Amino acid sequence: MSKNIIITISREFGSGGRYIGEMVARKLDIPFYDKAIIEMASDKTGFSPDYIKENEQKLTGASLFNFAITGSYAGNMVFGNGESLQDTMFFAQSNVIKEVASKHSCVIVGRCANHVLEGMDNCVNIFIYSDMESKIKRAVNEYKLDSSNIEKILKDRDKLRSKHYNYYTGKNWGDARNYHACLNSDFIGIDNTIDIIEKIAKAKLDS
């Protein structure tokens, strides 16, 4: 691949967006970044990967202003530079995203990557969504989540993603104007969605 291409995948929980991103990366034979970003951010912050995974989108509202003078947040260290835990995790992951995007072609899932890389000409930003019925089926059958309260779980996950994205970007999560394409993975079909993104990426490389 003579030129670099960066594909960012934002997605509703249960839409299959992570799997779609991974398959696109395989078809284009380029690196795929999701959990690896957490591992790399862990090295930069000193937080464990498990801690980052559990809390990267949860410290919102008043929690954003838990400074070092309080000593700790939920028993964990906070920094003395006036930066909240949430900010520390967000900026560390943003730096990782910029670093890998500057080096090679890749697919990056989540973490406001479309905003973090805003202005890069070689980016293709995709949003994956689906109807609730399809997301419930996928969450129960593929993710093995408890079906008793599954709709609330899906809505809560997306609410966290929305608040996190809106706070750090000043934009609305899922707004079509923030992406190059918004695709309904179940209406189009998972395989067709993968093929469409691959074609968009190749068209961008040829432009």
Side-chain angles (χ1 to χ4, degrees):
M1 193 174 289
S2 58
K3 296 196 299 184
N4 285 352
I5 185 74
I6 313 300
I7 303 167
T8 73
I9 305 285
S10 302
R11 76 282 187 220
E12 291 182 345
F13 186 78
S15 66
R18 185 187 186 280
Y19 172 80
I20 288 167
E22 190 172 10
M23 291 303 103
V24 169
R26 287 188 185 183
K27 293 191 76 170
L28 292 173
D29 194 25
I30 60 178
F32 173 75
Y33 289 99
D34 181 17
K35 294 178 182 178
I37 293 175
I38 292 178
E39 298 285 344
M40 296 166 76
S42 174
D43 292 338
K44 293 180 180 294
T45 63
F47 294 128
S48 72
D50 287 343
Y51 181 82
I52 294 176
K53 181 179 179 180
E54 180 67 20
N55 293 284
E56 60 181 334
Q57 293 180 341
K58 287 186 177 179
L59 305 181
T60 57
S63 297
L64 289 166
F65 301 98
N66 281 282
F67 296 121
I69 57 172
T70 64
S72 66
Y73 182 88
N76 292 281
M77 177 183 68
V78 291
F79 293 94
N81 58 1
E83 192 173 85
S84 71
L85 293 175
Q86 177 76 0
D87 288 349
T88 298
M89 288 185 281
F90 175 77
F91 293 132
Q93 292 186 78
S94 295
N95 287 335
V96 168
I97 288 168
K98 291 176 182 177
E99 181 180 331
V100 299
S102 70
K103 292 179 178 179
H104 50 234
S105 296
C106 58
V107 175
I108 302 172
V109 171
R111 297 171 181 86
C112 307
N114 66 310
H115 175 77
V116 171
L117 300 177
E118 189 172 28
M120 287 188 66
D121 184 58
N122 57 338
C123 273
V124 173
N125 302 316
I126 307 294
F127 187 84
I128 306 295
Y129 67 101
S130 180
D131 60 88
M132 182 58 72
E133 182 180 358
S134 297
K135 290 191 292 186
I136 287 174
K137 287 180 181 178
R138 184 172 289 108
V140 173
N141 296 331
E142 297 181 23
Y143 305 167
K144 307 303 180 184
L145 297 181
D146 183 4
S147 61
S148 61
N149 201 26
I150 190 62
E151 184 169 345
K152 183 178 186 303
I153 292 172
L154 294 176
K155 288 180 178 179
D156 286 348
R157 294 285 185 95
D158 281 347
K159 188 175 181 180
L160 285 175
R161 288 179 179 178
S162 178
K163 283 185 175 180
H164 178 82
Y165 183 91
N166 296 354
Y167 180 87
Y168 280 106
T169 70
K171 303 170 185 174
N172 291 322
W173 181 75
D175 186 331
R177 290 169 293 186
N178 298 326
Y179 313 93
H180 296 116
C182 295
L183 304 173
N184 184 322
S185 57
D186 289 298
F187 178 78
I188 298 170
I190 294 291
D191 290 340
N192 287 335
T193 301
I194 293 166
D195 289 343
I196 288 170
I197 297 172
E198 180 189 15
K199 289 176 182 177
I200 292 172
K202 287 181 175 179
K204 180 66 175 175
L205 282 168
D206 291 339
S207 63

